[in-house]
Each structure stands twice: as structure tokens, then as C-alpha cells.
């Protein structure tokens, strides 16, 4: 380079080491960008459309894998078959597993997810955190996993198309997937906008090529609409409840069914009892001893207090559910 005022080269240009170092760095950077561009174009789906970086869709980097099921799921064979038939079927749809707290909705969904994955389905797990924007990001990421191209996402980012419509228009064309949205206990907040979920204009829709599975305490058909398949969970039958107890504590005696009946078939209470009895240092080591202790130590054993909780199974179920609700509320407020 030349200084045209003095017709003399600048002093820094006389330093050949500096000049060639800068030139070398620029050359390396240029080559790196060139090969990176070729890699993105070559490996991209849909005729060279580059996939959007996941960080531009959703921040946080949280896992979208379903939780592992730690023990056999007892007494839910009919419900799992209903979900499985929809997953295996030629079309998609939306199923809502609903019921009171403590009935095992998340466990049922996790088992259904595991079975779908074993059958070759793409499974994405999303937890509702009472945040419509976060849910939108997660569903956009799910659609990206299922092949939504960057060009379409760029249209949504620039306002040329609604993101929710872009996501569901793509999901309608793709088969072989199960998306779980867990714990949607405030469905009126799902959005986008203020319309009800039953209008099917928001983030939860039954019109995909795969299956959308939602878990919720809201059991109202009007909330979810006529195109959603509602599965209302009930307490476990006594034999299924006994199986839950025996899975956790196989050496705790022969009175498992009586204890299951006493606990009202509530999976939350059954799991709490089974966990207690599985610990070698627990004071009560058999199902019969645990059931007897419930009459005087209900609050200590299940963490709940109520005047009739020790004698009335229906009240016990209600109390355990209420305690579970409080625990979840405390967990959410702490987190």
C-alpha cells in the first residue's frame, strides 16, 4: 500500500513479519469459512437449506428425552393400548391423559413414550412450565428435530408467517413421532393469545401427522375440544396396587393387596409405602405392620395430616393429593 501524499509506503508496511502474519491469519479464516459453508450446504436437508442452529430456536439446552420409568407400570394396560393404537395408526391425533394429582399421569406418559421409541418413533418430551413463550420455543425445536427447514423458521422470525402455524403446518406433513407436553395444569395460559385450547389455533393441536400427548389435571372436555381423545385416570385396582407394592418391597409379606386397598389405589401413596418398606432400616418392614402403623402414624408415613386420614381411605387419597400439590407448589416457587 502507498501513502499517496508522500508517495512513500507506511512504516508498518516495512515490517514484513507483521504483513505476512496478518495475511496468513486472513487466509486461514477465509478457508475455514469456505469449508464450513460447504459442510452446512452438503449436509442440509431439503435441497441445501441449512438447519437453524438449535440455540437460535430455544435457549437453555435442557433435555428433551422422556424420563426413565424405574419400575413396571401396573394396572394401566388399557390406557397404554389406547395410546399405542393411536401411535401405530395411519393418522395422528391428540390424547390428553387427565386426572387428579398423584394418579401417575407422568409415569403413564413416560411409559407410552418408551414404548413408542421402541417402535421406532421419534419421541420429544416437553414439560409445561407455565410459560407460553418457552413452550413455543420447545415445540419449534421439536419441529426442527423433525425436519422443519431454516427458511421457514426465518419467515417466522421476520414476521412473514406465524411461528405456531409454521410449526404445525410442518408437523402435519411428518409422521412417526410422539410429542409429550407434560403437566399442562393451566391450559388457558398455553397460548399464543387468549383463545382456549379447544379452538386448535394455539400450541396444542390434534392435526399433526404424529401424536401429541398432553398430561393435565383438567378433565373438562370443553377445555380440550372434540378432536382430543381424553383418558381419565382412576385409582389402581387392588391387585394392581398390590403389584406396585411387591415390585418395591418383594419380601414385605403377603398383605400387599390389603395395604393397597387401604391406600385407596393411589399410585403416589403406593410408591411412598413401597419406598419406605424397601429401606432395610425402616421401623416397619411388612405390609401388615405398615398398614397397622397408618392408624397412628399417618402423618409421619405419608407426610399428611387430617383427623380422618388414618381411618377413611377416601380422605387419605384426598389428603395425599393435597400434600403432593403443596409439595409441587413449593418446588416451583423454590425453582
Amino acid at each position: 500500500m502507498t501513502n499517496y501524499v508522500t508517495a512513500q509506503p507506511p512504516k508498518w508496511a516495512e515490517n514484513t513479519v507483521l504483513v505476512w502474519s496478518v495475511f496468513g491469519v486472513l487466509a486461514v479464516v477465509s478457508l475455514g469459512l469456505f469449508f464450513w459453508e460447504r459442510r452446512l450446504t452438503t449436509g442440509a436437508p431439503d435441497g441445501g437449506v441449512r438447519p437453524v442452529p438449535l440455540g437460535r430456536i430455544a435457549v437453555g439446552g435442557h433435555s428433551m428425552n422422556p424420563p426413565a420409568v424405574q419400575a413396571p407400570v401396573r394396572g394401566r394396560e388399557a390406557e397404554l393400548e389406547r395410546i399405542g393404537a393411536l401411535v401405530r395408526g395411519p393418522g395422528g391425533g391428540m390424547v390428553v391423559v387427565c386426572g387428579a394429582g398423584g394418579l401417575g399421569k407422568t409415569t403413564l406418559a413416560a411409559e407410552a413414550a418408551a414404548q413408542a421409541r421402541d417402535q421406532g418413533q421419534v419421541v420429544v418430551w416437553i414439560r409445561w412450565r407455565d410459560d407460553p413463550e418457552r413452550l413455543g420455543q420447545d415445540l419449534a425445536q421439536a419441529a426442527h428435530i423433525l425436519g422443519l427447514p431454516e427458511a421457514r423458521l426465518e419467515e417466522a422470525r421476520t414476521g412473514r408467517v406465524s411461528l405456531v402455524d409454521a410449526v404445525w403446518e410442518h408437523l402435519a406433513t411428518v409422521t412417526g413421532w410422539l410429542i409429550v407436553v407434560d403437566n399442562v395444569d393451566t391450559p388457558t395460559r398455553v397460548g399464543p393469545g387468549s383463545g382456549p385450547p379447544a379452538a386448535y389455533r394455539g400450541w396444542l393441536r390434534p392435526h399433526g401427522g404424529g401424536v401429541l400427548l398432553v398430561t393435565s389435571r383438567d378433565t373438562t372436555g370443553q377445555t380440550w375440544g372434540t378432536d382430543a381423545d381424553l383418558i381419565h385416570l382412576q385409582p389402581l385396582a387392588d391387585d394392581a396396587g398390590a403389584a406396585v407394592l411387591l415390585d418395591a418391597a418383594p419380601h414385605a409379606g403377603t398383605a400387599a393387596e390389603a395395604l393397597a386397598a387401604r391406600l385407596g389405589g393411589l399410585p403416589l401413596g403406593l410408591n411412598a409405602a413401597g419406598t419406605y418398606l424397601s429401606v432395610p432400616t425402616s421401623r416397619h418392614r411388612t405390609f401388615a405392620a405398615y398398614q397397622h402403623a397408618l392408624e397412628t402414624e399417618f402423618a409421619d408415613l405419608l407426610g399428611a395430616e387430617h383427623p380422618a386420614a388414618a381411618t377413611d381411605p377416601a380422605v387419605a387419597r384426598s389428603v395425599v393429593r393435597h400434600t403432593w400439590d403443596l409439595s409441587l407448589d413449593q418446588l416451583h416457587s423454590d425453582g
Side-chain angles (χ1 to χ4, degrees):
M1 296 185 180
T2 303
N3 185 328
Y4 290 101
V5 176
T6 64
Q8 296 292 328
K11 291 184 178 180
W12 63 265
E14 297 176 1
N15 189 337
T16 56
V17 175
L18 176 61
V19 171
W20 283 106
S21 297
V22 172
F23 179 82
V25 170
L26 292 175
V28 170
V29 171
S30 298
L31 284 173
L33 291 174
F34 172 77
F35 285 114
W36 179 251
E37 179 70 21
R38 290 198 58 179
R39 178 184 175 188
L40 289 177
T41 303
T42 302
D46 300 325
V49 177
R50 290 181 299 174
V52 63
L54 295 184
R56 294 175 62 184
I57 298 177
V59 297
H62 56 283
S63 175
M64 302 188 83
N65 290 323
V69 180
Q70 302 297 332
V73 177
R74 304 294 189 179
R76 302 300 191 199
E77 293 79 10
E79 292 85 352
L80 286 168
E81 178 55 32
R82 282 177 62 182
I83 298 170
L86 193 61
V87 170
R88 296 188 300 269
M94 174 177 169
V95 58
V96 180
V97 176
C98 52
L103 285 173
K105 299 183 293 295
T106 296
T107 299
L108 177 64
E111 178 64 18
Q115 294 183 6
R117 178 171 283 178
D118 289 343
Q119 296 163 10
Q121 304 283 319
V122 176
V123 175
V124 178
W125 186 278
I126 298 170
R127 180 178 175 84
W128 168 245
R129 302 176 186 277
D130 207 31
D131 185 345
E133 183 177 351
R134 175 70 170 272
L135 176 61
Q137 291 176 343
D138 286 343
L139 281 169
Q141 185 169 351
H144 167 76
I145 292 171
L146 292 163
L148 180 62
E150 181 180 357
R152 191 63 169 159
L153 286 166
E154 187 62 30
E155 290 180 352
R157 280 195 291 266
T158 57
R160 286 175 286 172
V161 66
S162 164
L163 178 60
V164 64
D165 289 337
V167 165
W168 277 103
E169 286 169 10
H170 177 74
L171 291 178
T173 67
V174 183
T175 60
W177 53 265
L178 172 68
I179 297 175
V180 179
V181 184
D182 187 34
N183 284 334
V184 186
D185 295 332
T186 50
T188 57
R189 284 185 43 79
V190 165
S194 58
Y200 302 141
R201 300 180 69 249
W203 286 117
L204 304 179
R205 303 185 185 186
H207 306 135
V211 175
L212 175 69
L213 192 161
V214 177
T215 71
S216 177
R217 298 182 190 183
D218 191 323
T219 62
T220 306
Q222 291 180 336
T223 297
W224 306 108
T226 57
D227 290 343
D229 184 7
L230 268 62
I231 296 179
H232 296 263
L233 288 194
Q234 302 297 327
L236 294 176
D238 292 347
D239 58 344
V244 172
L245 291 171
L246 286 166
D247 287 335
H251 306 297
T254 60
E257 191 162 327
L259 177 57
R262 174 65 186 80
L263 292 171
L266 188 67
L268 178 64
L270 294 167
N271 289 328
T275 299
Y276 177 93
L277 291 167
S278 68
V279 177
T281 56
S282 296
R283 285 195 301 123
H284 311 293
R285 298 304 312 281
T286 68
F287 300 127
Y290 188 96
Q291 182 175 352
H292 179 74
L294 283 175
E295 309 304 325
T296 56
E297 302 176 34
F298 190 92
D300 293 333
L301 293 174
L302 292 181
E305 294 184 6
H306 190 281
T311 57
D312 188 336
V315 174
R317 286 198 300 270
S318 176
V319 168
V320 173
R321 287 177 188 144
H322 177 65
T323 303
W324 179 249
D325 292 348
L326 292 177
S327 299
L328 286 178
D329 291 342
Q330 182 63 42
L331 179 62
H332 292 161
S333 64
D334 292 344

